[in-house]
Amino acid sequence: MVPYILTILCVLVAGAIHWVSPKAYWKATFMSTAVILLFSVAALFIFKASGMLVSEKTGANADFSGQLLTINLLVAFFGFLISLFVGWFLRVVRN
């Protein structure tokens, strides 16, 4: 359920930022990528603190402190792709 919540959040953030500034496509793309990265990493820590990232098999909490750089790089890439495609879609739909 966590990936679906994060994906919906990413699409909404990218859509809102691109809707507000339709002329500055690349600026809106990079700004929404940064906001998506911030929200996603914050959401990971919130979900970990609330116990939503507990393994069903072992019952252990997720420990991603050693992989935080990799997580940030992957979330930034994912956020950039979402921002790029949502911005392009809104650009096509608005014109």
Side-chain angles (χ1 to χ4, degrees), residues 36-84:
I36 287 170
L37 178 64
L38 177 72
F39 280 167
S40 296
V41 172
L44 276 176
F45 284 109
I46 291 169
F47 289 145
K48 181 181 177 184
S50 68
M52 290 181 71
L53 297 180
V54 175
S55 175
E56 294 178 7
K57 292 182 181 179
T58 63
N61 257 345
D63 183 29
F64 50 82
S65 59
Q67 294 89 12
L68 203 53
L69 179 64
T70 305
I71 291 170
N72 283 335
L73 287 173
L74 291 174
V75 169
F77 178 69
F78 171 73
F80 180 73
L81 286 179
I82 291 293
S83 299
L84 199 68

